Amino acid sequence: MTGSSEVRPFRIDVSEADLQDLRERLGRTRWGAALPGAAWERGVAVGYLRELVEYWRTSYDWRAQEAKLNEIPQFVTEIEGQTVHFLHVRSPEPDALPLLLCHGWPGSVVEFLDMIGPLTDPRAHGGDAADAFHVVIPSMPGFGFSGPTREEGWNSGRIARAFATLMSRLGYERYGTQGGDMGAFVAPELGRVDAEHVVGVHVNAATYGFIPFGEVPDEEKAALDDRERARLERLANWTADGSAYFQIQATRPQTLAYGLTDSPAGQLAWIVEKFKEWTHPSGDLPETAIDRDRMLTDVMFYWLTDTIGSAANMYYENMHMSGDWNPEPPATPTGVAVFAEDVAIRRYAEQGNNIVHWSDFDEGGHFAAMERPDLLTADVRTFFRPLR
């Protein structure tokens, strides 16, 4: 390939100066004055964050994580003037189905690391070779090594079109896609814009398009079962007490970006709060559900690439785009995995999607690919099995 369509090998190679700058900034953190006894109900507890910052500064080993990441084939290409970074692992099984995995916020390609082996080589992980996938895991434009974005307009629809271009560029004429959180915006849109090539869409941590829009009338609530009512209550609690980050990122992302770009402790607090609140069980510390080093590696993907601001901008772009929300339900078969901290409700999801598969789990949370990669992998296999 030549010109802007070239796909080039990529290795992560962070300068020692950047790592030293991070350590120095962490060591100079201004902690402010927290109220005595204030715990997580007012935000990240200062005692927890102090300890985590010190661990990040003195014990976390980026070079070890960088080396592990560089064992995975990585590439970059240019689409619409934007660098797109992606992991690309081909299965040893010749008949494997290509699968594009879409991460969310505050996630990254790091979310899927524990799923790559089982998805690409199920035979080596106690599975059936017939369930194998060739896996493509892009960093969303504006996130990680696909960022920062340099112009406006990178909303879910544009990202979906870019990912369709990426799969075509890789020679994949028939493929599936999976996504959670923001990835659950992009994956269904990919099923719309590239319907002739996408055989199926699988989502978790799904919200828009999979939940009620606006208030639910009392008579409608009465028709819900206990599990659905619990999800509706969880959604109401998020709206009332957990959506401030969404409102800020969707309205004033640039103002937020100054502080988070300048302070690694501030950036860590902004992200780790979501790992704490959205993992299962949400009352526990996030390390209960996700390895601490893996969580910090995810944070590093924002810090080292200066993308906390451009990632937040995706919220702004989605909330300010005109004419890009497609109201027509797609014909693409869609599967949904709903984990214990999720809010998707089938009767609402069916209004805008061709739901052919639905799984409810009583464990796992928003970051299912990191919390319960075994359950998510099994559900992806099950969903795509009749679509191959």
Side-chain angles (χ1 to χ4, degrees):
M1 296 182 183
T2 59
S4 63
S5 64
E6 181 184 9
V7 175
R8 306 184 307 278
F10 177 83
R11 284 179 61 82
I12 302 172
D13 185 16
V14 173
S15 74
E16 191 58 37
D18 284 346
L19 298 179
Q20 182 61 28
D21 174 71
L22 170 61
R23 288 189 289 268
E24 290 175 358
R25 286 172 182 266
L26 290 171
R28 295 197 308 269
T29 300
R30 294 181 64 197
W31 290 103
L35 288 175
W40 287 89
E41 68 271 9
R42 293 178 183 266
V44 180
V46 66
Y48 172 81
L49 191 65
R50 277 182 175 273
E51 192 273 326
L52 186 57
V53 162
E54 186 62 12
Y55 177 85
W56 192 13
R57 187 179 75 86
T58 61
S59 301
Y60 170 78
D61 187 350
W62 165 256
R63 291 301 184 201
Q65 301 300 317
E66 184 181 67
K68 289 179 184 177
L69 287 161
N70 281 332
E71 292 175 1
I72 304 167
Q74 299 176 62
F75 304 87
V76 291
T77 192
E78 186 179 300
I79 301 175
E80 292 190 33
Q82 180 66 37
T83 296
V84 176
H85 160 259
F86 60 99
L87 315 184
H88 185 195
V89 183
R90 287 187 59 85
S91 172
E93 307 295 340
D95 296 327
L97 176 70
L99 178 67
L100 184 139
L101 300 173
C102 304
H103 68 77
W105 184 92
S108 65
V109 298
V110 171
E111 287 187 48
F112 297 109
L113 295 182
D114 291 334
M115 293 178 64
I116 293 174
L119 286 174
T120 58
D121 193 4
R123 195 197 305 259
H125 293 81
D128 187 340
D131 288 327
F133 296 92
H134 302 306
V135 171
V136 179
I137 313 175
S139 296
M140 292 267 197
F143 290 69
F145 295 98
S146 288
T149 42
R150 303 298 182 186
E151 61 180 5
E152 299 175 358
W154 280 100
N155 56 39
S156 297
R158 187 175 181 185
I159 292 173
R161 292 189 291 272
F163 286 174
T165 298
L166 173 63
M167 295 303 276
S168 174
R169 196 169 287 180
L170 295 176
Y172 293 138
E173 291 297 311
R174 189 172 181 276
Y175 64 96
T177 185
Q178 198 284 331
D181 186 76
M182 280 296 196
F185 283 56
V186 174
E189 190 62 23
L190 187 54
R192 293 184 178 94
V193 303
D194 202 21
E196 60 190 282
H197 300 116
V198 177
V199 301
V201 172
H202 184 280
V203 297
N204 67 289
T207 53
Y208 178 83
F210 298 84
I211 56 175
F213 191 78
E215 286 292 320
V216 176
D218 289 342
E219 60 271 20
E220 200 170 299
K221 288 181 183 177
L224 301 177
D225 62 29
D226 289 344
R227 190 193 296 267
E228 291 171 329
R229 279 193 290 272
R231 288 176 188 166
L232 195 63
E233 183 177 345
R234 194 177 303 125
L235 178 59
N237 289 339
W238 175 86
T239 301
D241 193 51
S243 63
Y245 79 96
F246 181 101
Q247 296 296 332
I248 294 172
Q249 296 191 159
T251 57
R252 299 294 185 271
Q254 187 57 52
T255 303
L256 174 70
Y258 295 120
L260 300 191
T261 300
D262 190 57
S263 168
Q267 188 170 130
L268 177 63
W270 190 251
I271 292 176
V272 80
E273 179 187 274
K274 303 312 169 199
F275 277 107
K276 195 285 188 173
E277 293 185 345
W278 295 349
T279 50
H280 180 74
S282 59
D284 290 351
L285 294 178
E287 291 92 335
T288 304
I290 297 173
D291 176 75
R292 173 177 280 197
D293 283 354
R294 180 66 54 82
M295 186 167 62
L296 287 172
T297 299
D298 180 77
V299 174
M300 290 289 269
F301 263 65
Y302 290 87
W303 178 261
L304 295 171
T305 58
D306 189 17
T307 53
I308 194 70
S310 60
N313 264 304
M314 187 177 173
Y315 286 77
Y316 185 96
E317 299 291 354
N318 280 348
M319 295 302 291
H320 290 81
M321 59 187 178
S322 58
D324 214 2
W325 291 117
N326 192 334
E328 293 299 318
T332 309
T334 299
V336 183
V338 190
F339 289 86
E341 297 292 335
D342 291 342
V343 294
I345 299 174
R346 183 163 189 163
R347 66 187 68 207
Y348 301 109
E350 288 177 337
Q351 295 172 11
N353 303 275
N354 178 20
I355 304 295
V356 301
H357 170 92
W358 190 278
S359 296
D360 294 307
F361 297 98
D362 294 323
E363 51 192 315
H366 186 88
F367 302 96
M370 287 194 279
E371 295 179 64
R372 292 305 307 268
D374 54 337
L375 294 181
L376 183 56
T377 296
D379 203 66
V380 168
R381 288 173 177 169
T382 300
F383 168 67
F384 281 105
R385 204 166 283 146
L387 303 175
R388 288 176 175 268

